[in-house]
Amino acid sequence: MPLKKSSLAFSLALSLLCASLIIGTIYATMIWATNQSDLSAVHRQDRLVELVVSKSKDAVAHDQESATVWDDAVRKVAQHDKEWIDANLGRWMHSYFGHNGAFVVAPDGQLIYGFSDDESDELKAYRGVSDAATKLVESLRRRLAEGDTTGTDDHTLSIGEADIVRINGRPAILSIKPIVSDSGQLSLGSDTQYIHIALRYLDGDFADAMGREYLLTDMRFEWHREDDPGRRYLPVTSKSGDVIGFFSWAPFTPGRAALRATEPALMVGGVIILVGTAGLVLALQRRSRRLKESQGRLMHLAHHDALSGLPNRASFDAIVARTLARSEGAVLFLDLDRFKKVNDTLGHAIGDQLIREVAARLKTTAGSGVTVARIGGDEFTILVAPCTPTAIEMLAEKLISAIRQPFTIEGQPIVIGLSIGVAFSAGAADTLDVLRRADIALYQAKAAGRNRYAIFGSQMDEMIKSRRELEYDLRSALKSRDQIEVHYQPIFSAADGGLIGVEALTRWRHPTKGFVQPDVFIGIAEEAGIIGQLGELVLATALAAASRWPALSLAVNASALELRDPGYALRVTSALERASFNPARLEIEITESTVLENEQACQRNIDSLRRLGVRFALDDFGTGFSSFGRLQQVAVDRIKIDRCFVSGSPDLSNNEAIVQAIIHLAHAQGMKTTAEGIETDEQRAWLRELGCDELQGYLLSRPVKSGDIDELYRNDSEQRQTGSS
């Protein structure tokens, strides 16, 4: 008996020992696997935070270039125009990009402007950054003096210096950029260069935003590493390698969570080993699934657009490079037409929902095997490989047709359009060349009228080059002021044929190309942002000439871009005062599309000038999208009947009915009418019978120089005096 009891005890002890060893081995294995998986997850989080901080330095510098690479910026800082600097280089950087400070330093090192969101005194604010900034500014000036262009490319337009430093007891990105010319026409030496300094704190909002965006729990910045095993500390270092501080967060540890979930099962496994083993397998499976899900979320955030769920620009570029290395294909650049108007009128929430629905419609239309991406704003891209030209043309037409179908969002019908640029990889030097060609083709599609597609051809490069040369020449012409001419087309009374006014028409006499057509250079001026300068030159010239014809009215044309400029009414008023010109003699001609867009700035300019006495005429009436009913909403004094309704009249009965309706409607609204394009005596007599007030056309006079108007005015005055006597 004692032997049996001893043997039983030994067997029991051995069994318990074996069970304990099995459970201990399993538990130890789990702890090791948990630690390995947690360590891997934490290392991935470390790399993610390092990448975000590095990208933030590049982003601050890129933000600066939106305003520092600009001719206007070079001129305004040289003039020490603080109001302009504050609006474009200071507070705008804070409100639009979230920068915490902005400073502009003169070539002699003196501060000419400063802004800080936590210090109203600019000198005090600059003293907080001057020590760190001075070293970077000196380094930048040395590079400028040496002509160093390291780091510049198609996306980085100017050299710069940046570092992570301690500012006012806070960690911050400090980025230094020179203020340079975007056109290359304003040449500055290194000793005359103004410097822009941007400040972005890394604690507070920055750390909170990074934690929210990348799912990092309790993310914050700390100056010292604490002995806290429950937190992760990543050092933040300067260019010299000095540790500024640490980003700290509670790391996501999926393995540890899984282990806690399996401990009850392991306790049961001490009694029933099979159940414990089954629980272990299930727990490992759950842990593995959570880990994969967290990895998938992080990878998705890094490579996809958060709004649409489509691949982002970086992901698309990588896909294009991989795909086109194996086979030929086509890249499509897509841009939504009239999307900005949706955002401005219906709000960004509707705009965001529209982007999501557009993305879904593009994916459905493109079909399987096609990569659709969103690269920002209202711009999308598509990669098709392999493909044929015919298939791509059919796809482009299907995409345009699909997007033209109305969207309905929150009960609001929305109609937009789509422009597409297409480039094939065949013949391209590399991936970047394919993308550049697609971008050029998109530009051509939009220039051709939007809502269409264009396929890149070799002639497009030449067209772009020629257009850029014309833009450069037009800028030079505006500076020299000796190539832009103003011709005047007389306007006559339909009743007695007397001269009653002139319309100022812009002409550009190019020194080598001769006269450049207005429909060419006006579009270039609008795209280049110099239409305002051109309009000011023409208005000043026309007012000076019309001062010699006191009995005549003067009509000038204004583009939609000019009327949207908040300062347009002030510039017109100043021009009238300088010329001592009666505002009631000035009539500004605008198009239907300009008025019907009904933008606030446009309407304010019109209202301000009408109160001054300036009159407005609606040019080319009937050729746009307006109706007779909507005409009642237009605050104008005159309607100009487009030449397309006059040509061929009075033989075309439908034209006669339209013209008669326009004249009756205008008179009912207290407006006058002017008919353009009069080329025959029959047209003149017909329009007089219909009741048209004024006539204009080649039959009566072509556009002529001001000297010819002097003679016409003199002859007309003599005839009137003779008739009255």
Side-chain angles (χ1 to χ4, degrees), residues 666-682:
H667 289 170
Q669 296 293 324
M671 307 176 192
K672 291 188 175 182
T673 56
T674 300
E676 300 179 295
I678 309 301
E679 298 180 355
T680 67
D681 289 323
E682 291 80 4

Side-chain angles (χ1 to χ4, degrees), residues 7-39:
S7 176
L8 179 60
F10 177 79
S11 298
L12 180 60
L14 183 60
S15 299
L16 291 174
L17 178 62
C18 290
S20 298
L21 287 174
I22 293 172
I23 294 172
T25 302
I26 294 173
Y27 192 73
T29 302
M30 279 196 64
I31 292 177
W32 178 84
T34 295
N35 290 337
Q36 291 299 312
S37 64
D38 289 347
L39 184 62

Side-chain angles (χ1 to χ4, degrees), residues 260-329:
R260 286 196 296 268
T262 59
E263 283 176 344
L266 286 176
M267 293 177 63
V268 174
V271 180
I272 309 173
I273 190 64
L274 294 179
V275 176
T277 303
L280 173 63
V281 172
L282 292 175
L284 288 174
Q285 288 178 338
R286 288 197 299 271
R287 183 201 65 186
S288 177
R289 185 169 58 253
R290 288 196 197 101
L291 183 59
K292 289 180 180 179
E293 289 175 353
S294 66
Q295 290 174 334
R297 286 195 300 270
L298 291 175
M299 292 298 294
H300 188 84
L301 286 172
H303 295 91
H304 288 77
D305 171 55
L307 181 60
S308 65
L310 297 176
N312 58 20
R313 180 189 292 272
S315 179
F316 181 77
D317 290 349
I319 293 172
V320 171
R322 290 196 305 269
T323 304
L324 297 186
R326 298 191 302 266
S327 65
E328 293 184 352

Side-chain angles (χ1 to χ4, degrees), residues 103 259 416 653:
F103 306 87
L259 180 60
I416 58 175
S653 58

